[in-house]
Amino acid sequence: MKTEYSTKAAIKAAAAIRKRAASQQPKVAIILGSGLGGLSKSIGDAVRVPFGDIPGFPEVTVAGHEGAVIVGTLGGREIVALSGRFHMYEGHPAALAAFPVRVFHALGAQELFVSNAAGGISSKLAVGDLMMISDHLNLMGANPLVGEEQEGELRFPDMTDAYNPGLRWLLRTTAEKLGITLREGVYAGLLGPSYETPSEVKMLRLLGADAVGMSTVPEVIVARALGMRVAGVSCITNAAAGVTGAALTHAEVLETTNRVSASFERLVTEFLARSAAPQLVMTR
Ligand code: HPA
């Protein structure tokens, strides 16, 4: 099976972005989850490239997602951000969900910071908590690496420590320094778009999941195949189905991300600022 979302296609897309932001050399890529796009307003010297101007990028269809790649600076580092990701529940193949990661790597990014909105399963998580992702469960029914092996990628990437231990330490200590409570846990990625049933949430808890969402996993798999270092944060926007008995709505998800976005932005910005000091980052 050939993928349209190959390294070659990524190089083309990266060239279209570079044309608009020629002087920038992003080393860190950030993917902004549902309702967390507000961070993009804090990006300095920002060059916004709408998805429509990037070959291979479809239009966005989800409320709360803007649909642009933004190149600029944050926390003193050159970054590229994705505001409006591609979800598999929109009908996109896993390789498209992960395609922006190939593009950002082609632009020069070596690190990936992922974020998402997620339902809280663990009793240790409250609505409005930020949870550092320590590991994930791929329950999306697909893997973005299926198909032709891509140049520069590992065919069988190791997923031990997929979320980089050095970056996790940096994120944890950054949150401590800022006085932001940062939980830690395992993110289960499901296809969606329906939310889970209470029985499915019970199952996920038995499987070791602390939070559940509909994204992130394909992006992280491709990042690991490319040797990128990954860190991630989930914003716990609601109690997962059956945990409190309340019904779930996308409006609640966006309302919570709005409320938490200021802490999220401070955390990411300070994390980036500290990550620029090479002695603070271990290199595995
Ligand atoms: N389930 C799946 N995805 C989600 C949820 C949830 O409860 N909340 C936000 N994204």
Side-chain angles (χ1 to χ4, degrees):
M1 187 171 70
K2 270 198 178 255
T3 174
E4 285 168 78
Y5 307 108
S6 60
T7 302
K8 257 198 199 123
I11 291 170
K12 240 196 210 165
I17 297 167
R18 197 175 283 123
K19 237 194 209 164
R20 305 274 283 270
S23 62
Q24 317 236 30
Q25 305 285 328
K27 288 283 178 281
V28 188
I30 304 175
I31 298 180
L32 298 169
S34 284
L36 297 170
L39 177 74
S40 72
K41 293 194 193 79
S42 312
I43 298 174
D45 306 316
V47 177
R48 293 185 120 76
V49 188
F51 285 176
D53 295 352
I54 305 173
F57 275 41
E59 297 294 332
V60 213
T61 65
V62 193
H65 288 267
E66 173 194 359
V69 165
I70 304 136
V71 185
T73 56
L74 192 66
R77 297 202 69 188
E78 293 189 76
I79 61 131
V80 55
L82 185 74
S83 182
R85 55 154 55 99
F86 306 121
H87 299 89
M88 288 181 62
Y89 64 68
E90 294 170 84
H92 299 315
L96 171 54
F99 184 57
V101 176
R102 284 193 174 132
V103 175
F104 296 161
H105 184 263
L107 271 178
Q110 300 291 331
E111 286 168 20
L112 175 67
F113 191 101
V114 281
S115 63
N116 56 55
I121 297 175
S122 162
S123 58
K124 295 190 182 112
L125 295 173
V127 171
D129 275 352
L130 295 174
M131 181 192 89
M132 176 168 79
I133 305 174
S134 56
D135 202 357
H136 73 220
L137 292 167
N138 180 6
L139 300 172
M140 304 190 80
N143 189 299
L145 303 178
V146 168
E148 213 173 14
E149 187 175 348
Q150 297 301 309
E151 214 183 304
E153 291 183 10
L154 292 169
R155 170 84 296 193
F156 304 109
D158 176 30
M159 295 297 286
T160 316
D161 289 332
Y163 297 82
N164 183 269
L167 295 182
R168 269 153 58 195
W169 173 82
L170 190 64
L171 197 53
R172 197 180 294 126
T173 53
T174 302
E176 277 166 19
K177 182 179 165 212
L178 295 176
I180 292 172
T181 303
L182 185 65
R183 311 282 179 202
E184 296 186 27
V186 175
Y187 174 89
L190 271 68
L191 179 61
S194 54
Y195 290 116
E196 301 68 39
T197 63
S199 299
E200 286 164 349
V201 169
K202 261 189 213 158
M203 172 188 77
L204 293 171
R205 184 181 289 119
L206 284 174
L207 294 178
D210 296 299
V212 56
M214 306 173 192
S215 66
T216 303
V217 166
E219 297 146 356
V220 172
I221 291 173
V222 164
R224 290 310 298 144
L226 286 163
M228 295 171 80
R229 296 184 307 143
V230 178
V233 167
S234 291
C235 171
I236 306 302
T237 53
N238 57 280
V243 172
T244 64
L248 275 57
T249 64
H250 189 54
E252 181 191 8
V253 168
L254 296 182
E255 189 272 312
T256 309
T257 47
N258 264 337
R259 189 155 55 80
V260 176
S261 63
S263 306
F264 172 76
E265 286 176 38
R266 282 171 59 226
L267 180 64
V268 177
T269 306
E270 183 64 18
F271 170 78
L272 290 173
R274 294 181 80 213
S275 73
Q279 73 275 14
L280 280 177
V281 183
M282 299 169 220
T283 51
R284 7 184 342 204

